[in-house]
Amino acid sequence: MSTAFYTDPACLNHATPEGHPEQVARLVSILAALEHRDFAGLDRRQAPMAEVAELLRCHPQDYIDRIRAAEPDAGNHQLDADTWMSPGSWAAALAGVGAVTAALDAVVAGEARNAFAAIRPPGHHAETATPMGFCLFGTVAIAAKRALDHHGLSRVAVLDFDVHHGNGTQDLLWDEPRALFVSSHQFPLWPGTGRAEETGPHGTILNVPLAPGTRGPDFRDAWEGQVFPRLDIFKPELILISAGFDAHIDDPLAQLALTEEDFIWITHRICDLADAHAGGRVVSALEGGYNLDALAASTAAHIRVLMERGA
Ligand SMILES: [Zn+2]
């Protein structure tokens, strides 16, 4: 067993305007960090592009067609205040979904114990028919639906520790009783959703708002006190992670104060829960993280734990 790693050069072709925080250099910095000899044992794999049918697990055809048609022939096309497309964005989005679904397939097949997908654009803000917050399609939610509907799993947990509320994932899984969606995030902060009262029609949404300035000890207490006991009750057969690293103290977009040590801790604790309930099966996908050094170091630390636990 091992840790499978997926990325795709197509994810480097999604360009945003000069000065935009969700930039090509994010993925470049992560891939550079993974050149270190610590990562020689990663099972590096090329993912196929996702079929449009995968997107249909979460998004209607007319929305998919609208996004595809919005890709410009040159320059940038703005979808909303924060979200842009360039030549190559459509392929990047399909490559990202392809990476996460291939990672899922490898873990479910027992070819790897866990997996990480280094992808962009991110996905957890994309709602059913609305691009938002740098995101076009709900990548991790699509993987959750595939785990349930294609692989026939009964219960899947999606854990989102990105500093922003995973409003898109919440929207896409809102009426899905077989998926437990957990998001910890700074509150108040964009997008403004993610109150603890938002629990969904089946009680399978768990939001953990954290005050600006929250540091590691209180972050850990929140997950120990509110999230992990809930996972012990839900007993997921697979854990998906929306791994955003913008809760790092050095991140420019938010005011939480986590460090690499906190990301190491939460990765270990998630693996503990996966060992207890899910045969160790964890599939993690990159979401946010906008300080390039903090992003690269935090992602590397996260993957190092996955490798340790997947060995
Ligand atoms: Zn974020």
Side-chain angles (χ1 to χ4, degrees):
M1 297 293 270
S2 61
T3 296
F5 175 80
Y6 291 85
T7 190
D8 194 303
C11 293
L12 298 167
N13 295 334
H14 168 66
T16 50
E18 184 76 31
H20 194 289
E22 205 294 282
Q23 55 184 311
V24 174
R26 297 177 61 240
L27 184 51
V28 172
S29 70
I30 290 169
L31 297 178
L34 297 180
E35 293 296 310
H36 191 279
R37 64 179 180 279
D38 285 3
F39 303 98
L42 267 183
D43 179 5
R44 294 171 190 253
R45 297 172 171 216
Q46 175 71 38
M49 301 266 283
E51 303 285 341
V52 168
E54 289 301 319
L55 309 180
L56 285 167
R57 295 186 189 281
C58 285
H59 301 282
Q61 184 72 53
D62 60 349
Y63 172 71
I64 297 167
D65 293 343
R66 178 156 70 88
I67 294 296
R68 184 174 205 162
E71 179 175 290
D73 294 328
N76 294 109
H77 175 73
Q78 187 167 20
L79 297 172
D80 74 1
D82 310 303
T83 313
W84 296 75
M85 292 182 75
S86 72
S89 292
W90 168 255
L94 286 188
V97 174
V100 179
T101 53
L104 166 71
D105 293 355
V107 167
V108 170
E111 297 167 15
R113 187 167 178 87
N114 56 43
F116 185 80
I119 57 171
R120 57 181 293 281
H124 72 150
H125 295 306
E127 297 189 341
T128 303
T130 311
M132 261 181 82
F134 322 153
C135 303
L136 303 177
F137 299 110
T139 314
V140 171
I142 290 168
K145 288 285 194 182
R146 180 174 173 85
L148 296 165
D149 294 336
H150 176 76
H151 291 296
L153 300 191
S154 300
R155 292 176 309 284
V156 173
V158 177
L159 309 183
D160 184 334
F161 57 73
D162 187 282
V163 80
H164 301 97
H165 178 231
N167 63 292
T169 309
Q170 173 169 302
D171 180 52
L172 298 170
L173 298 179
W174 184 255
D175 200 24
E176 176 49 85
R178 301 170 296 171
L180 175 67
F181 174 61
V182 178
S183 177
S184 74
H185 42 269
Q186 180 178 323
F187 191 92
L189 183 68
W190 188 95
T193 48
R195 290 175 169 80
E197 297 75 29
E198 297 166 25
T199 56
H202 309 288
T204 48
I205 306 289
L206 174 57
N207 282 305
V208 182
L210 302 169
T214 295
R215 307 184 71 88
D218 288 334
F219 171 82
R220 297 183 191 201
D221 283 351
W223 279 79
E224 275 311 342
Q226 299 176 54
V227 180
F228 298 139
R230 184 65 180 279
L231 286 168
D232 279 326
I233 293 168
F234 185 73
K235 298 187 188 343
E237 297 171 330
L238 169 81
I239 296 178
L240 294 161
I241 304 177
S242 265
F245 298 99
D246 42 9
H248 192 283
I249 190 167
D250 293 336
D251 195 273
L253 294 197
Q255 291 80 41
L256 295 194
L258 303 189
T259 65
E260 284 89 358
E261 289 303 317
D262 297 310
F263 294 120
I264 289 169
W265 174 84
I266 196 169
T267 309
H268 269 299
R269 291 294 288 123
I270 290 170
C271 288
D272 291 342
L273 271 294
D275 286 347
H277 302 296
R281 298 191 291 196
V282 174
V283 175
S284 181
L286 181 66
E287 299 281 2
Y290 303 100
N291 174 297
L292 297 181
D293 292 338
L295 172 65
S298 300
T299 306
H302 175 66
I303 294 173
R304 209 176 272 116
V305 174
L306 290 177
M307 292 176 72
E308 187 182 321
R309 301 296 296 258

